Amino acid sequence: MANLNNSGEREQWGSKIGFILAAAGSAVGLGNLWKFPYMAGKNGGGAFVLVYFIILFLVGFTLMLAEIVLGRYTQLNAIGAYRKIGKKWAFVGALGVLAGFLILSFYSVVGGWVIAYLVKTLTGALNVTDAEVLGNMFGKLISGTTEPIFYHALFMVATFLIVLGGIGGGIEKSSKILMPGLFVMIIVLAIRSMTLPGAVEGIKYLLVPDFSKINIDVVLDALGQVFFSLSLGMGCMITYGSYLSKDSNIPESAVTIPLIDTGVALLAGLAVLPAVFAFGFEPSAGPGLIFITFPAVFAQMPFGTLFEIMFFILVLFAALSSSISLLEVCVAYVVDEWKMNRKVATVSLAFVIFLLGIPASLSFGPWAHITLLPGKGFFDTFDFISSNILLPLGGLLLCIVVGWIWGTDNAIKEATNEGQLEFKFAPFWAFLVKYVGPVAIGIVFIRSLLG
């Protein structure tokens, strides 16, 4: 159907670099730009980064390979992929599709805030050094009615226009623009931040580990950050993997994608923390880093407006590269399973997700008094269900299905293209996906439910 090319075969990535950039774009999102610097700031800087790298290899690479292999083997969407392994496992893919659907509904609201702040930067409205004034400005935006919904709509339109173009003409082509642009901007911003007077303390804080800071909370936070940063457990990598040709080098891609994602997170840390230290702000300021702290930093920086414009374009690129993968998970399912035309599926799903995002947006303003889960409005409820339940559960079941049901021998056979490729770490990976992955994700799952 509509996920087929002109010769009647399933669409495929046009190039290896196209897949790598699109998959890395799926992983690189708002979490890299505000959450990683915030988590590093909260957990002792270099100590957190060291633990993060260890867990990235043990868990991130393990699940990344498992998802891509499953997608390439089945050549199907997330639900179809699990069903091919065993009919009763289709529900695991359904968890991923539902997670992508829910996440995009509130992620798009935040993407809209980013567009709004880009507009504010271009009009000079953010040229303010007082963090309290900036905090009030941010509060006024998100508690509004029409303005945040308007920008939420703009973000969804940009997302569905890219996905509308298909794999080669839409997602791959846009990723080849978004990702290199993102890299250039974040490197420029990191260099600017690191050359500010007093920035050296921020650099040392991020890169020099203080082993006394490492405790169970740091390990658990790093584990959670790796898991959520890489877009694991929601079927994104299964869906993207399903468009890979049978001669692709999956083990190489499964290493490259997490490294790119982590490289961007580290550069974000180098762009944010030195500047925050240089101007005496709090390094663990949370989501306010993007919308409150950083605008105050830019306002005090020479040529600050120029760098601020660059920063919000960067954040927008990161948000879009993730949102297109979230929408593609849902579109691939509807196209494959319901045999719907791709354009109809994309427009319909984008519209429904936009509608679902309206109460998420209003939950900061007129609908703030409405709660679904105890103490949680629409936005926080959607976030909790997807991030704390669906994603960890999806990741846990992925390890069980690939490690125990389908079997690591079959997975390795697919990963090595029937033994044609060398995969030196295959036995170690098999051990990780069968034993380490389920235990680590189980811990994240229990902690996220309690948290």
Side-chain angles (χ1 to χ4, degrees):
M1 287 299 292
N3 261 359
L4 306 180
N5 58 26
N6 293 332
S7 60
E9 298 170 335
R10 188 172 181 80
E11 271 197 275
Q12 291 189 345
W13 301 105
S15 62
K16 174 185 171 183
I17 190 66
F19 165 67
I20 294 289
L21 289 176
S26 171
V28 172
L30 295 174
N32 295 70
L33 299 184
W34 73 259
K35 196 172 182 184
F36 184 88
Y38 157 65
M39 294 298 276
K42 175 186 158 193
N43 288 292
F48 175 83
V49 173
L50 177 65
V51 174
Y52 182 91
F53 262 103
I54 294 168
I55 294 173
L56 179 80
F57 175 71
L58 294 177
V59 180
F61 159 71
T62 302
L63 268 72
M64 182 69 65
L65 181 68
E67 284 210 22
I68 296 172
V69 162
L70 187 58
R72 211 270 300 268
Y73 169 72
T74 59
Q75 299 281 289
L76 292 167
N77 64 87
I79 294 177
Y82 281 103
R83 187 190 294 121
K84 188 169 180 176
I85 302 303
K87 284 186 179 179
K88 66 181 181 182
W89 296 103
F91 81 95
V92 183
L95 294 176
V97 174
L98 178 59
F101 191 86
L102 274 181
I103 290 169
L104 186 51
S105 70
F106 66 84
Y107 195 88
S108 177
V109 172
V110 181
W113 299 345
V114 175
I115 297 175
Y117 264 65
L118 179 57
V119 172
K120 288 178 187 295
T121 305
L122 291 169
T123 58
L126 288 183
N127 193 20
V128 179
T129 57
D130 189 332
E132 187 178 344
V133 173
L134 288 164
N136 291 336
M137 191 184 299
F138 179 58
K140 184 180 177 184
L141 168 70
I142 67 172
S143 62
T145 303
T146 54
E147 188 182 12
I149 292 173
F150 169 73
Y151 286 116
H152 160 51
L154 278 186
F155 187 84
M156 275 309 303
V157 167
T159 300
F160 95 74
L161 285 176
I162 294 171
V163 176
L164 206 60
I167 301 306
I171 296 173
E172 183 170 355
K173 190 178 286 185
S174 66
S175 297
K176 286 181 175 178
I177 297 168
L178 293 174
M179 292 307 290
L182 187 152
F183 291 135
V184 169
M185 285 186 285
I186 200 166
I187 288 168
V188 170
L189 285 166
I191 291 170
R192 181 69 195 99
S193 179
M194 288 188 292
T195 53
L196 288 168
V200 69
E201 286 305 312
I203 300 169
K204 282 167 61 179
Y205 183 76
L206 183 68
L207 299 182
V208 180
D210 178 355
F211 294 101
S212 68
K213 301 278 187 184
I214 299 175
N215 56 36
I216 189 64
D217 287 333
V218 172
V219 173
L220 290 175
D221 278 351
L223 188 57
Q225 178 66 13
V226 165
F227 188 76
F228 298 120
S229 176
L230 291 175
S231 299
L232 299 169
M234 67 177 78
C236 285
M237 296 305 158
I238 293 175
T239 305
Y240 277 13
S242 75
Y243 302 121
L244 278 174
S245 63
K246 286 293 184 181
D247 60 353
S248 304
N249 190 325
I250 294 177
E252 186 181 89
S253 298
V255 171
T256 305
I257 295 161
L259 286 177
I260 291 174
D261 177 73
T262 304
V264 171
L266 271 177
L267 283 169
L270 289 171
V272 172
L273 290 177
V276 167
F277 269 81
F279 289 102
F281 286 97
E282 176 56 51
S284 57
L289 273 175
I290 283 183
F291 299 107
I292 301 169
T293 305
F294 233 42
V297 168
F298 283 123
Q300 299 174 59
M301 192 186 289
F303 304 105
T305 302
L306 177 64
F307 288 108
E308 190 167 34
I309 291 168
M310 189 183 294
F311 175 73
F312 281 110
I313 293 173
L314 159 71
V315 177
L316 179 59
F317 277 17
L320 276 173
S321 67
S322 288
S323 68
I324 57 179
S325 70
L326 291 167
L327 183 55
E328 179 59 29
V329 169
C330 304
V331 169
Y333 161 67
V334 171
V335 169
D336 286 351
E337 304 288 327
W338 298 7
K339 308 303 179 190
M340 189 182 286
N341 176 276
R342 183 180 179 90
K343 290 185 177 178
V344 174
T346 305
V347 173
S348 302
L349 282 165
F351 183 66
V352 173
I353 290 169
F354 163 71
L355 292 179
L356 191 61
I358 291 174
S361 178
L362 294 176
S363 67
F364 292 99
W367 290 7
H369 62 286
I370 302 174
T371 57
L372 300 181
L373 293 176
K376 297 181 189 296
F378 285 95
F379 188 104
D380 290 338
T381 297
F382 296 164
D383 186 11
F384 181 84
I385 291 172
S386 53
S387 301
N388 294 51
I389 299 173
L390 297 177
L391 294 189
L393 193 55
L396 180 63
L397 292 169
L398 168 72
C399 289
I400 292 169
V401 170
V402 172
W404 297 96
I405 309 302
W406 183 32
T408 52
D409 288 345
N410 286 323
I412 290 166
K413 191 177 176 183
E414 179 68 26
T416 58
N417 301 344
E418 305 286 336
Q420 294 178 44
L421 293 174
E422 189 178 26
F423 183 17
K424 291 179 181 177
F425 298 106
F428 185 51
W429 173 80
F431 173 78
L432 290 174
V433 80
K434 289 174 79 171
Y435 303 104
V436 177
V439 171
I441 298 163
I443 292 169
V444 170
F445 189 26
I446 293 167
R447 188 176 191 236
S448 63
L449 285 178
L450 297 174

